[in-house]
Amino acid sequence: MPTDGADKPLAELRAILLGPDRAAWEAMRQRLDNPTRRAEDVAGVLAEAVRLRSRGHSGSHPDIKLRRALQPLLEEALQLSVQSNPRMLADALFPIFGKAIRRAITSELDGMLQSLSQTLEQSFSWRSLQWRWESFRTGKPYAEIVVLRSLLYRVEQVFLIHRDSGLLLQHVAAPPAQATAGTPLEKDPEMVSGMLTAIQDFVRDSVSGAESENLETVRMGEIEVVLAYGPDAILAGFVRGVAPRKLSRVFQDTLDVIEQKKAEALHTFSGDTSRFDSCRPQLQACLLGQGRPEERTSGSWGARALLFGVPALLVLALIGWWIYANVIERRWTDFAHRLESEPGIVLTHAEKRGSNFYISGLRDPLAADPASLLPASLSSNQVEFHWEEYYSLVPRFAAQRQLAELKGQLQKRAFRFTTGSAEIPPEQRFLLEDVASQMISLIQAATALGKTVQIEVRGNHDPVGAEELNAALSRSRGENVRAALIALGVPAARLIAVPEDIEKETCSAVKEEERLFCRSASFRVTGVL
Amino acid sequence: MLKKKICMVGQFGVGKTSLVRRFVESIFDERYLTTIGVKIDRKDVTVGSESVTLMLWDLAGEDDLAQLNVSHLRGASGYILVVDGCRAASLNKAVELQRRIAGQLGPLPFVLVLNKADLRDRWEVQDTAVAEHGWPTFETSAKAGSGVEEMFLALAGKLLQ
């Protein structure tokens, strides 16, 4: 405001004219300059201002500018709220979302359970066998066949029912040729509709009592009743076969559309059903179906027997053959084990080729004969042995071999005599001790093996001379040697003097030096092997 | 085609079910009455040029033990009170039921039926006791079949007014 000298009178005039208002203006200026005061003023009218703005000025259309202006602020504020304290918003939204989520989860779980129970049922049933066969025959995946065949159903009748009175508003049925004509259900839809409502009342009153809880499905043998509820009407479908879960949704959606379109007619319904004639197309659209359930039961017993019996017989035959082959195999294995445990036999290879059994290995000549070990249940024609001989170090076999060796050595010994004499010549006497010790070793070795040996002492003569004299000479030579050996400690019971005629050996040497070998006493061991 | 829901109520054993048996179409067994408390029959009548389908909800009779299931009354356009002429108590019950139904559903057309007209000489129910209510009343006999058609026609006429 200018305050120089020229303006002074003007200022005075102004003070005279505006004096009383100046204080008010000053107060106003202070209010405008003071942010705190200004905020208080705006706070006082903010709510009313927003309300006015959202309704529109003086009855005009609501102004969307405010909404647009507030939108980013609100979004940001919500974001901040979620970041700083998510729980608050979650608590606020829970009553809305909780219910919706529970419902969605329940619906999904129901669907899963239904498909699970169907799958289980189908896994072990006659039907599943048919489907597996069909899958095999047509080359389609098994899962596709299951989906094609398992959800066979047919909506045969659809009832639109007034909820309060149970009166039938509209009714549609599938073509009679395919629907099951003659069932009581078709006789009077009016009464069926009333009774359905009555049954729902009854179930609600006696089971749950809650007004909001409703029967969702009713099953009677092959027929399932699928129910959808609206505020004023009920949509009921009689379904033959297995109603898929989605059918309930189709019914509910259809009913929602009808409730919306016919809200007025439903509210004021007083018995005139002609107002609902226009709903027929919607109801007819609910007459859904997949396949023909009755086809599932077709198929003659002969075809079934062929389909099921032949594979069953094959399976039985296979099982029988498998058991038999196992038994035979087991017998061969047992036999091979038995051979392995037999002393003096080492199996190197045992295998089955076709119906025959091949066994090869090492065998001590003293070991038991493998063929004699075959059990009666196995035929010797079916087995082929290949043995390489070897000497086993089994003590029994070693002892047997030693015994055989001692026997061989002893049987090579002999005493020579001069012509016509049975006396052991003095130059032969030194042999006696040696032979006696051989005999004692032999007897001991045999006893250790549990055998009783007999040693024959055979007297012999040359072909010269009289027969009688020769026979006496032979006997005397044997007896003399025996007596000499007994005297040297050989057990008398094991020594037998044998006259030559028993052996009927003839010594036919013609030269003197050969005849010397005929005038002898030699030994033969029996009872060793 | 007009359809109306009609409830039939009365004391236990007044003969509701036998009253209508010969006059209605029925597909349900009477055992429904004892199991779920209601049985539904159908009666087609023609009033003037208009045909009306009456869906008859035969509600299980009320006695000291069993109470009328009021949820079955919802949406009814009218009702029939059945009284056994030989039992005065059944009239009292009918009066009580009428009061309860009117309290629940508001003023609805109804008729009073005095059953067992064939046993008129043994009636306990006094004409004056009936007349004091001023209700439209019909004497019927389930045994002889008299009065039933008239009663249905009259009720249907009231419904169409």
Side-chain angles (χ1 to χ4, degrees):
Chain A
M1 186 178 289
T3 53
D4 52 5
D7 289 339
K8 204 171 176 185
L10 187 61
E12 281 172 359
L13 182 65
R14 195 182 286 144
I16 291 163
L17 286 174
L18 303 175
D21 296 328
R22 282 191 74 138
W25 288 349
E26 190 56 30
M28 193 96 67
R29 192 177 62 80
Q30 276 179 6
R31 272 177 81 172
L32 288 171
D33 287 350
N34 185 340
T36 317
R37 286 290 301 276
R38 212 164 63 228
E40 282 171 4
D41 289 346
V42 174
V45 296
L46 184 64
E48 181 62 14
V50 169
R51 194 177 63 80
L52 282 174
R53 187 77 193 227
S54 65
R55 273 202 321 206
H57 297 294
S58 59
S60 64
H61 286 297
D63 193 346
I64 60 164
K65 281 185 185 165
L66 180 69
R67 292 178 205 172
R68 285 196 178 143
L70 286 177
Q71 186 187 351
L73 288 176
L74 278 173
E75 284 170 356
E76 210 170 314
L78 275 173
Q79 207 169 16
L80 271 176
S81 164
V82 171
Q83 279 168 0
S84 62
N85 185 8
R87 197 190 162 98
M88 199 176 73
L89 205 65
D91 285 350
L93 290 175
F94 178 75
I96 309 165
F97 287 154
K99 208 170 171 183
I101 291 169
R102 267 200 306 275
R103 220 184 147 96
I105 290 176
T106 312
S107 166
E108 280 303 313
L109 277 179
D110 279 357
M112 270 170 61
L113 279 177
Q114 190 190 29
S115 69
L116 183 69
S117 60
Q118 271 176 11
T119 311
L120 278 178
E121 184 198 328
Q122 286 149 12
S123 304
F124 308 107
S125 66
W126 161 245
R127 262 193 334 193
S128 76
L129 281 177
Q130 281 181 310
W131 293 340
R132 286 200 185 277
W133 171 246
E134 189 178 342
S135 155
F136 171 75
R137 205 163 38 86
T138 58
K140 287 181 185 168
Y142 176 66
E144 193 182 322
I145 301 286
V146 170
V147 171
L148 266 174
R149 297 278 171 259
S150 65
L151 288 179
L152 290 180
Y153 70 96
R154 179 183 184 82
V155 182
E156 295 192 338
Q157 300 185 66
V158 179
F159 297 77
L160 180 65
I161 302 167
H162 187 241
R163 193 163 177 169
D164 271 352
S165 62
L167 289 173
L168 184 67
L169 301 174
Q170 274 302 323
H171 171 251
V172 293
Q178 287 165 32
T180 45
T183 59
L185 301 175
E186 268 200 293
K187 278 185 181 161
D188 197 321
E190 312 277 351
M191 280 189 266
V192 172
S193 152
M195 212 64 207
L196 257 181
T197 317
I199 288 169
Q200 282 159 34
D201 288 344
F202 168 73
V203 172
R204 189 162 50 232
D205 291 347
S206 47
V207 181
S208 76
E211 195 61 28
S212 59
E213 288 176 22
N214 292 307
L215 267 182
E216 285 180 7
T217 53
V218 184
R219 187 161 253 301
M220 298 164 289
E222 279 221 327
I223 300 279
E224 186 171 335
V225 185
V226 176
L227 294 153
Y229 295 84
D232 295 309
I234 299 170
L235 194 63
F238 282 64
V239 184
R240 188 173 290 273
V242 183
R245 198 76 201 163
K246 66 166 190 192
L247 201 62
S248 303
R249 268 175 250 153
V250 171
F251 271 59
Q252 192 63 56
D253 292 347
T254 307
L255 183 62
D256 289 348
V257 170
I258 292 174
E259 285 261 8
Q260 208 178 355
K261 266 176 61 183
K262 298 284 175 187
E264 178 64 22
L266 283 167
H267 277 314
T268 58
F269 176 69
S270 63
D272 181 7
T273 55
S274 60
R275 296 171 74 184
F276 298 93
D277 288 347
S278 58
C279 297
R280 288 186 73 82
Q282 277 112 319
L283 300 191
Q284 259 149 359
C286 290
L287 290 173
L288 297 164
Q290 191 168 38
R292 293 176 62 183
E294 56 267 43
E295 277 181 4
R296 279 188 304 172
T297 53
S298 68
S300 67
W301 275 104
R304 281 190 184 194
L306 196 68
L307 191 69
F308 188 69
V310 172
L313 281 176
L314 277 174
V315 167
L316 278 177
L318 273 172
I319 291 173
W321 177 81
W322 181 77
I323 290 173
Y324 172 76
N326 260 331
V327 167
I328 295 294
E329 180 99 25
R330 181 68 184 262
R331 284 177 186 164
W332 281 117
T333 315
D334 288 350
F335 175 59
H337 285 313
R338 168 119 193 255
L339 281 182
E340 271 175 339
S341 63
E342 190 64 30
I345 289 180
V346 178
L347 278 195
T348 55
H349 191 66
E351 70 167 334
K352 202 166 179 294
R353 290 185 204 154
S355 58
N356 285 353
F357 216 66
Y358 287 78
I359 292 177
S360 56
L362 307 172
R363 178 174 174 268
D364 190 300
L366 294 173
D369 178 12
S372 69
L373 296 173
L374 266 178
S377 55
L378 293 174
S379 161
S380 58
N381 297 333
Q382 282 183 292
V383 65
E384 205 171 295
F385 294 112
H386 297 278
W387 300 112
E388 293 289 331
E389 292 205 333
Y390 88 116
Y391 280 155
S392 166
L393 293 176
V394 172
R396 186 160 63 89
F397 293 162
Q400 273 188 14
R401 265 192 282 280
Q402 191 197 2
L403 187 62
E405 200 181 331
L406 285 171
K407 175 187 168 188
Q409 285 172 0
L410 185 62
Q411 289 185 158
K412 285 178 191 159
R413 306 304 288 266
F415 288 88
R416 314 289 168 206
F417 293 86
T418 51
T419 309
S421 167
E423 288 298 313
I424 302 169
E427 71 272 13
Q428 296 271 308
R429 281 200 156 278
F430 73 96
L431 288 174
L432 276 170
E433 275 183 27
D434 198 20
V435 170
S437 81
Q438 269 188 342
M439 284 183 172
I440 289 165
S441 296
L442 176 76
I443 291 165
Q444 281 171 349
T447 308
L449 284 167
K451 296 180 176 182
T452 309
V453 290
Q454 293 290 334
I455 303 168
E456 294 169 3
V457 186
R458 295 176 175 177
N460 258 320
H461 59 88
D462 60 23
V464 184
E467 188 79 4
E468 279 181 23
L469 188 64
N470 278 341
L473 265 177
S474 288
R475 196 158 43 245
S476 300
R477 283 169 182 160
E479 279 169 0
N480 284 347
V481 171
R482 180 178 178 257
L485 289 168
I486 290 168
L488 284 169
V490 179
R494 303 297 175 89
L495 281 177
I496 307 164
V498 179
E500 60 161 353
D501 55 337
I502 291 176
E503 285 295 314
K504 289 189 169 64
E505 284 183 13
T506 49
C507 196
S508 55
V510 284
K511 292 180 183 168
E512 173 51 29
E513 56 269 31
E514 285 171 349
R515 285 202 291 269
L516 172 64
F517 291 99
C518 295
R519 297 188 295 269
S520 68
S522 60
F523 310 98
R524 181 72 49 195
V525 181
T526 59
V528 172
L529 289 174
Chain B
M1 166 72 86
L2 267 183
K3 292 175 191 169
K4 299 285 184 186
K5 172 176 174 178
I6 303 295
C7 292
M8 250 195 333
V9 295
Q11 198 178 27
F12 182 78
V14 293
K16 295 186 300 296
T17 308
S18 29
L19 178 67
V20 297
R21 191 180 292 136
R22 286 159 57 184
F23 298 90
V24 298
E25 284 177 46
S26 187
I27 58 169
F28 298 112
D29 197 281
E30 280 167 19
R31 278 175 298 184
Y32 281 77
L33 260 179
T34 45
T35 49
I36 67 169
V38 63
K39 178 167 111 54
I40 291 163
D41 305 314
R42 169 190 174 135
K43 175 71 181 167
D44 292 322
V45 290
T46 308
V47 182
S49 60
E50 185 111 50
S51 59
V52 186
T53 297
L54 302 180
M55 298 311 296
L56 279 176
W57 287 51
D58 182 355
L59 306 190
E62 189 163 78
D63 58 18
D64 292 341
L65 296 172
Q67 284 283 307
L68 192 72
N69 188 343
V70 287
S71 63
H72 290 323
L73 292 167
R74 265 194 327 212
S77 298
Y79 52 99
I80 301 167
L81 293 169
V82 186
V83 169
D84 178 357
C86 302
R87 280 155 60 196
S90 68
L91 179 63
N92 300 337
K93 176 56 81 177
V95 171
E96 182 205 324
L97 284 170
Q98 194 277 331
R99 198 172 299 133
R100 261 164 47 197
I101 295 170
Q104 176 143 6
L105 302 178
L108 284 182
F110 70 95
V111 290
L112 181 72
V113 168
L114 297 170
N115 198 20
K116 303 193 183 169
D118 49 304
L119 302 172
R120 193 77 167 80
D121 51 334
R122 288 195 234 159
W123 274 23
E124 284 178 6
V125 174
Q126 300 299 315
D127 290 346
T128 51
V130 176
E132 76 181 47
H133 298 290
W135 296 338
T137 306
F138 294 84
E139 289 185 17
T140 60
S141 166
K143 198 173 169 187
S146 61
V148 183
E149 284 290 347
E150 292 85 339
M151 179 270 291
F152 278 126
L153 267 176
L155 181 62
K158 284 168 81 70
L159 293 174
L160 293 180
Q161 276 168 15

